[in-house]
Amino acid sequence: MSAGSLWGVVLAGSLGCYLLKLAGLSVPAAWVQRPAVTRVVEFVPAALLGALVAVQAATSQGVLVLDGRLVGLTVAALALALRAPFIVVLVLAGAAGALVHLLGC
């Protein structure tokens, strides 16, 4: 991809994001403040983050892969469920993933 076409893609993406933001701001407040819309909007970020984490932890180049990333994610989820401090969650997940990678499982 040439530098000119790359800048074209970047500018087109920026314009699209701006227009999408503008469209969101132009929605009437009465529509956004409905209880059903509010309930759905509250869960969208968590659902998107969960989907991104699942894809990054369980796939590689579009293929399902079970490796140390998934073990690390599982250990992190267990540590969070046990209310461990965040730094402990990070260290445990990293150590578990590294151990699986080191053992070659």
Side-chain angles (χ1 to χ4, degrees):
M1 181 178 274
S2 70
S5 61
L6 179 62
W7 275 109
V9 169
V10 168
L11 291 174
S14 299
L15 180 65
C17 287
Y18 177 76
L19 292 174
L20 186 61
K21 179 78 170 184
L22 186 63
L25 291 173
S26 65
V27 172
W31 291 2
V32 178
Q33 294 172 349
R34 292 181 183 170
V37 173
T38 305
R39 278 194 312 265
V40 170
V41 168
E42 288 175 357
F43 291 112
V44 168
L48 288 174
L49 182 60
L52 289 171
V53 168
V55 168
Q56 290 297 315
T59 64
S60 181
Q61 298 176 353
V63 178
L64 182 64
V65 177
L66 303 175
D67 59 4
R69 296 175 295 173
L70 199 55
V71 172
L73 180 62
T74 304
V75 168
L78 287 172
L80 285 172
L82 295 172
R83 303 223 181 250
F86 188 66
I87 190 70
V88 174
V89 171
L90 291 178
V91 170
L92 288 175
L99 184 62
V100 169
H101 181 71
L102 184 65
L103 296 175
C105 297

